Amino acid sequence: MRQAAEVRRPWHCCEAVLTEALFLLGKPGLPVLSTLLRRRSLQVSFSFADHQEPVLALMDKYADVPMSLADACLVRMTEVLPEAVVLTTDTDFRVYRRHGRQVIPCIVPP
C-alpha cells in the first residue's frame, strides 16, 4: 500500500488489529510488524477494556455486515483519536459510520 508512506507516523492500532494483520500476512509478516512495533512507528494505543461497551454496540449495529472486533475497535478509535485516518483494504469501512452518521476517514488502495 503505497499510500501508507504518505501518512505521518506513529500509526496507532489495537491488539485486535495486530492479531488480524498477523493472521492475514502469515509468518512472512511477523518481521515487518515486529520492526514497526520496536521502532514505535506502530503503537498499540487503544484498549478494548476501556471502550468495551461502545465497541460491542458497533458490532451489534453492523452485525449484518458483519463487523469484526478489529473493525469495531478501529471505528471507535476514529471517534476518540483526533485526526484519525484508517489505512485499510477493507471496503466495509465505506459502510461503517462513526458517531452514528459520520463517514470514516480512510485511505484505501485503488
Side-chain angles (χ1 to χ4, degrees), residues 47-96:
S47 170
F48 172 74
D50 295 338
H51 300 272
Q52 179 176 320
E53 285 309 314
V55 168
L56 294 175
L58 284 164
M59 292 175 73
D60 289 342
K61 178 179 179 178
Y62 292 103
D64 60 323
V65 174
M67 178 183 259
S68 70
L69 176 64
D71 288 1
C73 288
L74 286 173
V75 171
R76 181 64 181 155
M77 287 175 72
T78 70
E79 293 176 338
V80 298
L81 294 176
E83 300 178 27
V85 176
V86 177
L87 297 171
T88 185
T89 58
D90 186 343
T91 57
D92 289 338
F93 280 90
R94 293 183 177 136
V95 175
Y96 304 148

Side-chain angles (χ1 to χ4, degrees), residues 17-45:
V17 168
L18 286 177
T19 301
E20 194 169 293
L22 283 170
F23 174 78
L24 293 171
L25 296 172
K27 260 188 185 177
L30 180 59
V32 174
L33 286 175
S34 294
T35 298
L36 288 170
L37 288 163
R38 285 188 176 106
R39 290 182 180 167
R40 309 240 347 119
S41 294
L42 178 62
Q43 297 179 5
V44 176
S45 57

